[in-house]
Amino acid sequence: MTTEKVDVLVIGAGPSGTVAASIINKAGYSVKIVEKLKFPRFVIGESLLPRCMDALTEAGFIDAISEKGFQKKAGAKFVKQGRICDFTFAEQYTPGWQWTWQVTRADFDHTLAQTVEKMGVPVEYETTVTGIVFNGSDSVTTVEDIHGNKKQIEARFIVDGSGYGRVIPKLFNLEKESVLQPRKALFAHTNDVRRSMADEPNRITAVVHDKGVWIWIIPFSTGITSVGFVGDHTFHDKFSGTQEEMFRAMLASEPYTAERFKDVEFLFEPRKLEAWSATTDKFYGEGFVLTGNVTEFLDPIFSSGVTLATVSAQTAAKLVIRKLQGENIDWEKEYMEPTMQGVNVFRSYVMAWYEGTLDTIFFSKNPDPVVKAQICSVLAGYVWDQSNPYVELHATELKRLARKIELTEKLGSLS
């Protein structure tokens, strides 16, 4: 069995792995990426947030992404029974990027991987990690390619950005169940011939279909639109037939989508995704760090996945560089705590969404513009801004605000 040596082995060529690999490579260390699948490959998570632009910029990816002509995204719109709550990132509370992109992830991820290869980082596709042995921070990883050829990769450190593959958590029994309720999505890409009758294309639209059930509508620059229904199994069990028959019945059942997507062409048979929420006991160990979905994936609402992936990779890469330079890193304080900060804020908003708390806030009659700007910053991904009360007090402030709105509107109706 042949053996290679690198400073850092990165598992996974998605946004998390490529951001980490680029930053570490720029610092002068040898990096190698191994990726289980062949790119381009389909993956969900198509609506980015402005906060991830900082990480993409530091990794050196912005120019390559811009050249792809993806749809620019300037905000997010929420719809419920004819009422609209529109967030524009230019009006957010936290200084930062005021736009981002809506992307077909196969093309987006492939662009990042190709760009990091041009930077000098080799990417080996269709290569599976079958075992890892640690000796302190040093490691020996056994990989196998699609033809059954095996080799070993010696590394001074490992960054696991394997996404849903969750390589290290599975190998070392670090997985644990998420506290979020299991949900299911049924979705497709459509030839959106009636786009002009409804939405402006420069924002994602989330439609409240019923309590705990919502629809994403993500227009791409190509005229294709991603549409998906998310709900628990009780909702999905109401529909029968093929995946396409079920999905068309769902679209017809919602007034906002019934006419626009009537008889549209699906570019692939509607697909389902379920049991996506997962987490791990800890996000680091001697010789490795977990980034992106390997740490925790929450839910499609609020599009937090790529932001948490790229920002955690950005943070981890800088710590890995300092580690390789001989520093002692407090991984708990410098990585676990800030990563969990972002996860916990987004989790509060996910739970508030499904509980209906955010319905009360989003569709209130007279929204406070300051509060709306502060919540807009969270929806833009700035979940580390402790000057924002809806970040700092995320666990309590949303419920307090909803109670205040309910009381104010009740008193107003009596006057």
Side-chain angles (χ1 to χ4, degrees):
M1 191 182 303
T2 60
T3 300
E4 295 182 15
K5 290 187 178 183
V6 293
D7 291 318
V8 179
L9 174 64
V10 175
I11 306 172
S16 181
T18 51
V19 165
S22 173
I23 293 173
I24 295 168
N25 176 68
K26 284 183 177 184
Y29 294 97
S30 59
V31 185
K32 185 184 194 68
I33 299 176
V34 293
E35 164 59 50
K36 184 176 182 179
L37 300 177
K38 181 180 180 180
F39 277 30
R41 52 85 177 98
F42 182 86
V43 67
I44 208 66
E46 299 153 329
S47 188
L48 309 184
L49 301 182
R51 176 59 181 89
C52 75
M53 302 291 276
D54 296 290
L56 295 172
T57 298
E58 183 165 355
F61 294 153
I62 292 292
D63 289 345
I65 302 169
S66 296
E67 290 173 3
K68 299 297 291 186
F70 293 122
Q71 174 64 55
K72 284 193 173 182
K73 172 185 173 182
K77 182 164 69 175
F78 298 86
V79 178
K80 180 180 181 181
Q81 297 172 355
R83 291 173 289 172
I84 293 174
C85 176
D86 203 354
F87 289 93
T88 301
F89 295 141
E91 299 172 356
Q92 65 182 312
Y93 166 82
T94 305
W97 285 79
Q98 298 180 348
W99 64 276
T100 184
W101 285 289
Q102 293 166 173
V103 301
T104 47
R105 281 289 303 278
D107 296 328
F108 177 76
D109 289 13
H110 198 202
T111 298
L112 302 191
Q114 289 176 317
T115 304
V116 85
E117 284 186 277
K118 291 177 183 176
M119 295 174 175
V121 177
V123 182
E124 291 191 8
Y125 298 99
E126 298 180 290
T127 300
T128 302
V129 173
T130 60
I132 302 173
V133 176
F134 287 100
N135 180 18
S137 294
D138 295 336
S139 60
V140 178
T141 299
T142 302
V143 299
E144 183 174 345
D145 68 18
I146 193 172
H147 304 293
N149 301 311
K150 295 183 179 182
K151 67 178 177 182
Q152 292 183 328
I153 303 172
E154 296 180 0
R156 297 169 62 191
F157 210 87
I158 296 176
V159 176
D160 185 353
S162 57
Y164 296 120
R166 304 175 64 75
V167 170
I168 286 180
K170 288 180 178 178
L171 285 176
F172 295 94
N173 298 316
L174 300 177
E175 293 188 294
K176 67 177 183 180
E177 292 185 6
S178 171
V179 298
L180 296 175
Q181 178 182 339
R183 293 184 175 88
K184 181 178 178 180
L186 189 63
F187 60 92
H189 284 179
T190 70
N191 185 12
D192 194 2
V193 294
R194 302 186 194 92
R195 176 180 294 179
S196 61
M197 71 175 287
D199 296 317
E200 59 275 76
N202 67 340
R203 61 231 305 110
I204 181 176
T205 299
V207 181
V208 180
H209 178 69
D210 200 352
K211 185 174 182 180
V213 181
W214 64 281
I215 309 159
W216 77 65
I217 302 173
I218 307 173
F220 302 132
S221 59
T222 56
I224 295 168
T225 292
S226 176
V227 186
F229 273 76
V230 181
D232 61 21
H233 287 270
T234 303
F235 167 73
H236 286 272
D237 289 345
K238 295 177 182 178
F239 300 88
S240 59
T242 65
Q243 301 271 77
E244 179 170 341
E245 290 169 340
M246 292 169 63
F247 195 54
R248 290 195 185 278
M250 290 179 186
L251 290 168
S253 71
E254 168 54 49
Y256 193 86
T257 59
E259 184 61 29
R260 177 175 170 184
F261 296 106
K262 182 180 180 180
D263 299 324
V264 295
E265 175 192 5
F266 295 145
L267 302 189
F268 52 78
E269 182 182 6
R271 303 178 184 181
K272 66 179 178 179
L273 179 66
E274 55 188 324
W276 53 67
S277 298
T279 186
T280 58
D281 280 325
K282 65 178 187 174
F283 301 166
Y284 64 92
E286 189 172 8
F288 72 87
V289 62
L290 311 179
T291 62
N293 290 352
V294 190
T295 60
E296 180 154 0
F297 181 75
L298 294 168
D299 192 90
I301 191 64
F302 308 130
S303 308
S304 62
V306 174
T307 293
L308 291 174
T310 54
V311 174
S312 65
Q314 180 185 28
T315 303
K318 295 175 182 178
L319 295 173
V320 171
I321 292 166
R322 288 169 50 198
K323 169 72 175 177
L324 296 177
Q325 291 172 343
E327 288 190 44
N328 291 321
I329 306 299
D330 187 340
W331 288 95
E332 186 70 24
K333 184 174 182 60
E334 297 188 66
Y335 185 70
M336 184 80 179
E337 290 181 10
T339 302
M340 283 307 303
Q341 158 77 20
V343 169
N344 288 335
V345 174
F346 274 124
R347 187 191 290 113
S348 290
Y349 279 72
V350 169
M351 295 176 72
W353 171 258
Y354 285 106
E355 291 166 356
T357 302
L358 287 184
D359 278 17
T360 302
I361 296 170
F362 287 177
F363 304 110
S364 60
K365 295 178 181 177
N366 297 297
D368 183 327
V370 174
V371 171
K372 186 174 181 180
Q374 291 167 334
I375 291 176
C376 183
S377 288
V378 175
L379 302 184
Y382 290 94
V383 291
W384 292 273
D385 180 6
Q386 295 287 351
S387 72
N388 184 346
Y390 292 93
V391 171
E392 183 186 20
L393 304 173
H394 60 89
T396 58
E397 200 66 9
L398 291 175
K399 291 181 179 179
R400 188 202 64 78
L401 176 60
R403 288 194 298 267
K404 179 181 177 182
I405 291 170
E406 288 172 343
L407 180 59
T408 300
E409 293 186 354
K410 182 177 181 181
L411 292 174
S413 67
L414 296 175
S415 61

